[in-house]
Amino acid sequence: MRRLLWPLVILAALLAVNVLFTPGFFSIQVREGHLYGSLIDILRFGAPLILVALGMTLVIATGGIDLSVGSVVAISGALACLQISQDAGVFTAVVLALGLSVALGVWNGFLVANAGIQPIIATLILMVAGRGLAQLITDGQIITVNDPAFKLIGGGYLLTVPFGILLVLAVLAVTAFLTRRLALGMLIEAVGGNAEASRLAGIRARGIIVMVYAFAALCAGVAGLMISSNVSSADGNNAGLWIELDAILAVVIGGTSLAGGRFSLAGTVLGALIIQTLTTTIYSIGVPPETTLLFKALVVTVVCLLQSAAFREKVFKRRARTAGAQEVAA
Amino acid sequence: MKKERDVVMAVPEPILRMTGIGKQFPGVKALDGVDFRLLPGEVHALMGENGAGKSTLIKVLTGVHPVDTGTIDLDGVPVAFTGPLEAQRAGISTVYQEVNLCTNLSVAENIFIGREPRKRGRIDWKRMRARAAELLARLDLDLDVSAPLEAYSLAVRQMVAIARAVDIEARVLILDEPTSSLDAGEVAQLFKVMRTLKGEGIAILFVSHFLDQIYEIADRMTILRNGRRVGEYLVSELSQVELVGKMIGQELKELERLHGEAKRFDAPLVEARELGRPGAIEPFTLTIHEGEVVGLAGLLGSGRTEVARLLFGADHAGGGEIAVGGTPAALRTPRAAMGHGIAFCSEDRKADGLVPDLTVRENIILALQATRGWTRPVPREQQDALVGKYIKALKISPPHPEHLVRNLSGGNQQKVLLARWLILEPRLLILDEPTRGIDVGAKAEIQRLVVELSDGGMAVLFISAELEEVLRLSHKVGVLRDRRLVAQLPNDEELTTEVLMETIASGGRP
């Protein structure tokens, strides 16, 4: 619980800044049978990032990293839209898109676990090649679709709640069940914490590694469906661009070490929400568009410094020392 | 008699003299009043078991660590180096076990890196290659100096490192376990170079775990034990038995045996036939019966751990076969060995035993969970019951299942590792140095546990550097030396630590 303290403080601070600029920030209303408000928007637009970050959490916990999730987002959206535009039906489209995503994840896992390639290199291959694959699927065009059933995934509502939020909750529940109720989480943490000791304890590390990369790709595939559904189109070039970096950032802000081992799903969700809230804040306080990236980088730097135990210790120590010196002077 | 010879030998003035060296690390006295000297033109072996203080002495000499007490004189002038570079400038060069060269650069570049011969500000490649070839010729080496170093074997790289060290006007050359990864031919090549250097008056400090090599190349040796100097001896005057005894510091008295009357073993559990792995352990044949404790004795690096790892499938065997319970078994992975009821408590708890960031409970149930797969978690009540039982039985302290293992002491970490394997109820338990680095109380508990387990029918392979302990616990002792299982001795009335030491020293040869 203490590990979640700083992410919570940061999120609260960001939300408080928003209240200063947008007085009605916390209000949630029901309009035309839909939940409506800034907080709902943060959740809704943050849903794809939360999904990708959840998958990334498990990969990072094994001591790996997955740079290809952004490309998988694009591929999944492209394949689904292509199928729908060819009248294949939403169900078939979704199954095919997610099936391809999982296959790509298994490929990543194979490169890491069986071929012994460093995760950052192994997934870099698909990061680059995947964009090409997405463009092949869309034939270099932006495919536009108009299907109410497909629109539900990223832009629709169910029982007044945006469907995307429900989807995230479902994936979160399944992930929590697999890792914390079943033994997957402990075995992942063992492999990430000490790979050789895990092997000597009889853990089949390869299977687990392939599984987490497949899961990360599946999450990215669902996020890809959400993103393309929300804009009713597939853009092989820009869908999910740089989302892998935001996801890695979310995982780290959430307190999971890039070295592998212990992971926190709740921390990752908080981390993703912080990033999404930051994006919203940039719009709401009216940061000029040409400086948004710089502004985001500054905030992220501060967040990371606050998360760093070494940095906090230095700052607090210095402050304690100055306070002590003043007392002596007084 | 002795006095006369000293006069005849007329020992020359030492190049290097270390006097009363003391070095304290937090909680450990690594060196305690150690005297050491190096004469010109000699190969001087520094001997001692693990933790005796050999590395610390070398590090203090080369300025890696400052000395707490004592003095170092080089040519009669007191020196205190602040780092290896300064020591090198003064003429003391070190070649480490892991050669620190750049394999992607050429042989010549490696020899002259950082001090390339220059002409008008630019590197004079021609002269560099010529000087490199000259230098290697002096060591009787014929290499293509412009070929990348990676084109050559480990032994050649080692010699390039030596060539580099010698060229920096070295008068003292420190070789820290240079032979541990070389084969016999390469060792011979290295020794030839060492003899050449010796002939030029360079003093060589040589560290090796291979006794035969010491007796082949060294003139004199200094033995350390527990941070103290045992003595300095001429190699020709100290037998291998005496050497082993002085290194281990064994009191040669008959020890009580924990086992009662002699047991008869007639149910072979694990039979290894001509099992081996090139470069790690020569093919060996070993049978372990149900309820039998087989001890493995030998010096560090003699192949004890390698035997254990092969039996557990942690390494791939290069040849030979294993039968478990009379039927041939393929133990290609630890998982396969576990399926046959074999468990392995590894020697290096931190590197390949425990997962430090997991809790005591998680570390204990890890192997059990691994055998069930992730889809069938061990029910929490069962976990708590098992973990509670072993925390109590092994007296793990503090007795909190949710503490992180990294915060436990060495002895308690060892017990956590033991508990992990005991809950699997294995048929063969392999214990590699289970009592190293733990306090006396925990040690006695673990020894008692081994006896209880074997009385209950479990077979145990017990590996320890302490001969006394091996002798106390084992029904049969396998002796290893230089990566070969040289003898298997029944533990009867005639087997003493003295006999074991003799066997280690002689390599089982009569």
Side-chain angles (χ1 to χ4, degrees):
Chain A
M1 205 52 219
R2 274 192 62 182
R3 284 195 303 175
L4 297 182
L5 180 70
W6 280 102
L8 274 171
V9 167
I10 291 159
L11 184 58
L14 274 174
L15 291 173
V17 168
N18 274 287
V19 177
L20 291 180
F21 284 84
T22 324
F25 188 76
F26 282 130
S27 81
I28 295 174
Q29 302 154 359
V30 179
R31 284 192 198 165
E32 297 161 23
H34 300 159
L35 281 181
Y36 182 88
S38 300
L39 291 179
I40 300 296
D41 280 348
I42 288 174
L43 286 174
R44 195 168 76 122
F45 295 127
L49 178 60
I50 297 176
L51 280 181
V52 172
L54 280 177
M56 187 71 77
T57 307
L58 299 192
V59 170
I60 287 179
T62 62
I65 201 151
D66 189 347
L67 297 183
S68 72
V69 284
S71 294
V72 174
V73 163
I75 291 170
S76 160
L79 186 61
C81 288
L82 179 74
Q83 292 294 321
I84 290 168
S85 71
Q86 293 171 342
D87 296 320
V90 172
F91 181 74
T92 317
V94 166
V95 168
L96 281 177
L98 296 185
L100 180 58
S101 301
V102 170
L104 292 172
V106 169
W107 163 255
N108 279 335
F110 174 82
L111 288 184
V112 173
N114 295 59
I117 301 176
Q118 285 182 6
I120 196 164
I121 301 301
T123 57
L124 192 62
I125 296 171
L126 187 58
M127 177 185 179
V128 177
R131 288 278 159 204
L133 188 57
Q135 286 177 42
L136 266 181
I137 293 171
T138 61
D139 207 11
Q141 310 294 313
I142 294 179
I143 302 179
T144 316
V145 293
N146 189 8
D147 186 309
F150 186 58
K151 182 78 188 168
L152 172 73
I153 299 174
Y157 291 81
L158 188 70
L159 302 168
T160 80
V161 184
F163 189 73
I165 297 178
L166 296 176
L167 208 51
V168 163
L169 287 176
V171 172
L172 181 61
V174 169
T175 314
F177 175 79
L178 291 179
T179 55
R180 296 308 182 198
R181 301 296 296 183
L182 301 187
L184 189 57
M186 190 184 93
L187 297 189
I188 287 174
E189 288 175 336
V191 170
N194 189 342
E196 180 59 10
S198 303
R199 188 177 80 92
L200 292 181
I203 296 173
R204 290 199 175 99
R206 282 183 186 179
I208 284 177
I209 287 172
V210 171
M211 196 162 20
V212 295
Y213 282 92
F215 178 75
L218 178 65
C219 287
V222 176
L225 294 179
M226 260 185 207
I227 290 171
S228 62
S229 150
N230 191 36
V231 295
S232 297
S233 66
D235 180 350
N237 253 331
N238 293 311
L241 197 61
W242 308 133
I243 199 171
E244 62 279 344
L245 300 185
D246 276 348
I248 293 167
L249 191 59
V251 173
V252 173
I253 291 176
T256 299
S257 160
L258 278 178
R262 286 283 186 203
F263 67 88
S264 163
L265 295 177
T268 294
V269 172
L270 276 177
L273 286 177
I274 287 171
I275 291 170
Q276 190 59 41
T277 309
L278 179 59
T279 310
T280 306
T281 311
I282 286 170
Y283 292 126
S284 69
I285 68 175
V287 176
E290 62 271 21
T291 57
T292 47
L293 282 179
L294 195 61
F295 179 81
K296 198 172 168 182
L298 280 174
V299 177
V300 166
T301 309
V302 171
V303 169
C304 291
L305 285 178
L306 277 179
Q307 274 283 72
S308 149
F311 177 79
R312 283 205 306 265
E313 192 181 321
K314 255 189 187 155
V315 170
F316 291 132
K317 248 192 193 162
R318 182 169 307 158
R319 213 185 283 156
R321 214 181 301 140
T322 0
Q326 276 164 351
E327 265 170 45
V328 173
Chain B
M1 181 74 189
K2 196 156 186 154
K3 223 169 190 175
E4 270 174 30
R5 201 182 42 217
D6 274 359
V7 174
V8 174
M9 287 225 355
V11 176
E13 231 1 72
I15 294 185
L16 177 85
R17 188 189 286 279
M18 302 173 81
T19 318
I21 301 294
K23 181 72 201 169
Q24 176 92 30
F25 290 119
V28 198
K29 191 135 198 154
L31 291 175
D32 189 3
V34 172
D35 294 339
F36 180 74
R37 58 175 187 163
L38 261 183
L39 309 183
E42 72 165 357
V43 175
H44 194 128
L46 190 56
M47 305 298 294
E49 278 282 275
N50 228 19
K54 294 178 308 227
S55 316
T56 312
L57 190 70
I58 290 175
K59 283 182 177 153
V60 163
L61 171 57
T62 55
V64 176
H65 298 313
V67 288
D68 290 348
T69 57
T71 54
I72 305 175
D73 294 309
L74 192 63
D75 286 323
V77 183
V79 288
F81 303 120
T82 54
L85 203 62
E86 215 182 291
Q88 208 176 65
R89 289 210 185 98
I92 302 178
S93 284
T94 313
V95 175
Y96 292 100
Q97 186 176 4
E98 265 97 43
V99 185
N100 38 357
L101 296 172
C102 310
T103 53
N104 54 335
L105 298 183
S106 74
V107 171
E109 282 170 310
N110 268 295
I111 294 178
F112 290 103
I113 196 163
R115 45 188 197 96
E116 298 87 350
R118 281 165 194 275
K119 196 162 80 184
R120 268 179 266 125
R122 280 176 302 178
I123 294 174
D124 186 350
W125 293 100
K126 228 167 133 184
R127 209 171 98 216
M128 183 161 122
R129 281 193 287 270
R131 275 189 54 192
E134 204 179 295
L135 190 60
L136 292 171
R138 198 175 118 200
L139 300 181
D140 258 340
L141 288 169
D142 184 20
L143 307 180
D144 176 4
V145 293
S146 38
L149 193 63
E150 62 200 349
Y152 291 106
S153 70
L154 210 59
V156 171
R157 291 180 204 176
Q158 201 118 45
M159 284 180 249
V160 170
I162 293 174
R164 179 189 152 79
V166 170
D167 189 48
I168 316 176
E169 320 261 288
R171 318 216 357 266
V172 174
L173 181 63
I174 301 172
L175 300 177
D176 190 0
E177 289 207 49
T179 57
S180 56
S181 41
L182 305 188
D183 67 30
E186 292 170 329
V187 169
Q189 205 178 352
L190 175 72
F191 282 1
K192 211 173 104 193
V193 169
M194 284 170 70
R195 288 198 184 99
T196 308
L197 294 173
K198 195 175 115 173
E200 294 176 8
I202 292 176
I204 300 177
L205 172 57
F206 182 62
V207 179
S208 169
H209 284 297
F210 298 100
L211 296 188
D212 280 347
Q213 294 179 0
I214 300 294
Y215 276 80
E216 186 184 337
I217 191 78
D219 306 302
R220 197 183 288 270
M221 62 173 111
T222 294
I223 303 174
L224 299 180
R225 189 173 69 235
N226 296 331
R228 289 165 183 274
R229 191 184 87 145
V230 178
E232 187 199 80
Y233 307 90
L234 283 172
V235 171
S236 54
E237 287 182 355
L238 193 71
S239 77
Q240 297 207 18
V241 184
E242 289 169 313
L243 169 61
V244 173
K246 288 186 193 304
M247 281 168 65
I248 301 178
Q250 206 65 254
E251 287 170 46
L252 305 178
K253 61 174 182 193
E254 187 64 25
L255 298 148
E256 55 149 340
R257 284 179 173 76
L258 281 171
H259 290 291
E261 73 277 25
K263 282 200 254 181
R264 279 182 54 82
F265 302 105
D266 35 33
L269 178 65
V270 174
E271 296 160 275
R273 260 187 302 277
E274 291 302 309
L275 196 67
R277 179 178 158 87
I281 179 87
E282 304 274 319
F284 63 90
T285 297
L286 178 70
T287 304
I288 305 170
H289 298 84
E290 281 173 24
E292 184 180 34
V293 180
V294 177
L296 288 186
L299 297 174
L300 190 87
S302 60
R304 301 175 312 208
T305 299
E306 286 74 6
V307 168
R309 289 179 65 91
L310 281 186
L311 291 177
F312 187 61
D315 293 326
H316 289 275
E321 49 199 50
I322 299 182
V324 180
T327 45
L331 306 181
R332 288 204 187 81
T333 60
R335 183 60 173 272
M338 285 163 66
H340 284 97
I342 301 176
F344 174 47
C345 272
S346 51
E347 175 185 16
D348 193 338
R349 299 186 280 269
K350 286 218 167 67
D352 45 36
L354 298 164
V355 185
D357 278 337
L358 294 189
T359 63
V360 170
R361 172 181 57 83
E362 288 170 320
N363 267 292
I364 289 180
I365 65 156
L366 198 58
L368 177 63
Q369 186 61 64
T371 60
R372 295 167 64 110
W374 62 271
T375 51
R376 291 194 301 134
V378 181
R380 189 54 191 260
E381 307 83 69
Q382 195 189 336
Q383 289 187 25
D384 289 341
L386 278 171
V387 171
K389 179 179 150 196
Y390 279 97
I391 284 181
K392 213 171 145 199
L394 299 178
K395 302 197 185 75
I396 293 172
S397 151
H400 304 303
E402 300 305 318
H403 270 214
L404 294 187
V405 152
R406 66 157 71 247
N407 298 332
L408 266 58
S409 72
N412 285 294
Q413 288 185 345
Q414 183 63 54
K415 291 180 192 170
V416 168
L417 194 56
L418 255 173
R420 174 192 293 172
W421 293 110
L422 290 179
I423 61 175
L424 288 184
E425 297 176 353
R427 296 158 74 191
L428 169 62
L429 178 63
I430 303 171
L431 299 174
D432 193 356
E433 294 276 8
T435 59
R436 155 136 23 120
I438 69 178
D439 62 69
V440 183
K443 202 172 197 165
E445 281 167 29
I446 286 173
Q447 290 180 354
R448 219 168 4 249
L449 184 74
V450 169
V451 174
E452 278 171 29
L453 291 172
S454 90
D455 285 345
M458 194 185 289
V460 179
L461 184 66
F462 188 87
I463 301 173
S464 173
E466 291 180 41
L467 297 184
E468 174 195 323
E469 191 178 58
V470 171
L471 207 60
R472 255 157 82 92
L473 294 175
S474 313
H475 300 110
K476 179 168 87 185
V477 181
V479 178
L480 287 126
R481 172 189 160 115
D482 299 353
R483 293 173 187 157
R484 223 154 46 79
L485 183 61
V486 292
Q488 294 183 44
L489 311 167
N491 194 358
D492 50 27
E493 296 304 316
E494 278 145 46
L495 192 63
T496 59
T497 48
E498 210 171 7
V499 174
L500 277 181
M501 274 189 266
E502 234 159 66
T503 315
I504 292 174
S506 70
R509 286 168 298 220

